[in-house]
Amino acid sequence: MSTSVTNPPHSPAVGAPHSPAPRRTGRGPSGRARAWATRAPLLPALVFLIAVTQLPFVATLFISLFDWNSLAPDKRAFAGLSNYGSVFTDASLRDSVITTVLLTATVVIASVILGLLLALLLDRKFMGRGFVRTLLITPFLLVPVSAALMWKHLLYNPEYGLFNGAWAWFAGLFGDSAPAQPDWISDMPLLAVEASLVWQWTPFMMLILLAGLQSRPAEILEAANLDGASAWQQFRFLTLPHLRRYLELGILLGSIYIVQNFDAVFTLTSGGLGTANLPYTIYQTFYQAHEYGLASAAGVVVVIGTIVIATFALRVVSSLFSEEANRA
């Protein structure tokens, strides 16, 4: 009599590798609940951001498609893209674009150069460095309108301004008791606006570049000193390449803010004497000429240009973070 022994149908064979247990992907109800639990606190901020920024932009985009003058509301009509054509063909708007480019380029370049020099100074150890750093940061902490008013009345005023007082004192040293008192804003309007903005934005560039200087690897500088490299060689071949990303970041962020600057132009010159940049021209078109459609189209152009610059800035910031993470 023979008996047959059979293995259970689901028992694995002896010596066969065990199949791994299925992993939980987190896509089930519990995983979704955890995901919503982490995202839910951010929803009020997201809703607020959309309501404050995106809805007004959509409304501005809608208005820019109409020929709309608030003084004649009954004559409002759909204009398509004609307002955008006027932005690039109208003489005053074209001049304001050129003024905006000149103002932005001059302020950014001068601020970066002065900020780099100050950052190199503050990177050295000396008595009172913290106090000097605090004083140099102060201009950036002022309200833009307050800074512009200070430059207009305290420094530029032809009767009691500090610049004319210093000019008279300096001329008196050479025997000229009654020197000509220049009117700084009338004689050099665009330069007067640029000087006030450079004074306010140089500390911002200084902080960014100082952070870059203090992140340099100390062992590389020590090796350069041992190899006999001069201070200029260290700056040219070590410091500048290391600061490239920080310089790009400062230039891009400074360009974003200065392109949108309105306070200095409005306070110092009221847009006169060839200083009207694009934000001030938009203000004039909207609030004084009451051309809502044309002003909205110009505003959309400014926003798109700012987004393009901000995209490059975000890429620079992400590359900085990735470099720091790889270094760590």
Side-chain angles (χ1 to χ4, degrees), residues 9-215:
H10 297 290
S11 61
V14 178
H18 295 281
S19 60
R23 294 185 301 174
R24 299 181 64 180
T25 59
R27 296 182 180 178
S30 60
R32 293 174 182 175
R34 285 196 300 269
W36 276 107
T38 56
R39 296 171 184 172
L42 300 177
L43 287 180
L46 180 61
V47 172
F48 177 79
L49 183 64
I50 292 175
V52 172
T53 61
Q54 302 307 311
L55 293 182
F57 178 72
V58 172
T60 303
L61 187 62
F62 176 77
I63 296 173
S64 68
L65 301 177
F66 285 84
D67 184 7
W68 188 350
N69 191 305
S70 63
L71 300 180
D74 297 335
K75 297 181 180 180
R76 182 178 59 187
F78 181 76
L81 299 178
S82 62
N83 287 326
Y84 292 93
S86 300
V87 170
F88 296 101
T89 57
D90 184 78
S92 60
L93 288 172
R94 187 171 58 249
D95 293 341
S96 66
V97 170
I98 296 174
T99 302
T100 303
V101 173
L102 290 176
L103 183 66
T104 304
T106 303
V107 172
V108 169
I109 293 174
S111 300
V112 167
I113 294 175
L114 293 177
L116 178 59
L117 295 176
L118 293 175
L120 291 172
L121 174 64
L122 293 179
D123 191 49
R124 300 175 178 271
K125 294 182 179 180
F126 57 89
M127 184 179 298
R129 183 176 65 169
F131 178 71
V132 173
R133 182 183 303 174
T134 303
L135 290 180
L136 292 176
I137 295 173
T138 303
F140 184 66
L141 303 179
L142 291 178
V143 178
V145 174
S146 301
L149 286 173
M150 185 193 71
W151 277 80
K152 182 177 182 178
H153 296 289
L154 185 62
L155 300 177
Y156 286 147
N157 192 281
E159 297 179 0
Y160 53 82
L162 183 61
F163 284 165
N164 278 356
W167 178 264
W169 175 81
F170 184 77
L173 295 178
F174 296 92
D176 190 355
S177 58
Q181 298 292 314
D183 190 344
W184 303 93
I185 296 178
S186 299
D187 296 342
M188 47 189 77
L190 188 59
L191 184 60
V193 176
E194 292 169 349
S196 66
L197 290 176
V198 167
W199 177 81
Q200 191 170 18
W201 283 95
T202 295
F204 175 77
M205 305 297 181
M206 179 195 71
L207 288 176
I208 293 178
L209 297 177
L210 183 59
L213 289 174
Q214 294 182 348
S215 66

Side-chain angles (χ1 to χ4, degrees), residues 224-237:
N225 288 325
L226 292 176
D227 291 339
S230 63
W232 169 250
Q233 289 174 333
Q234 293 183 26
F235 174 77
R236 179 181 177 183
F237 297 106

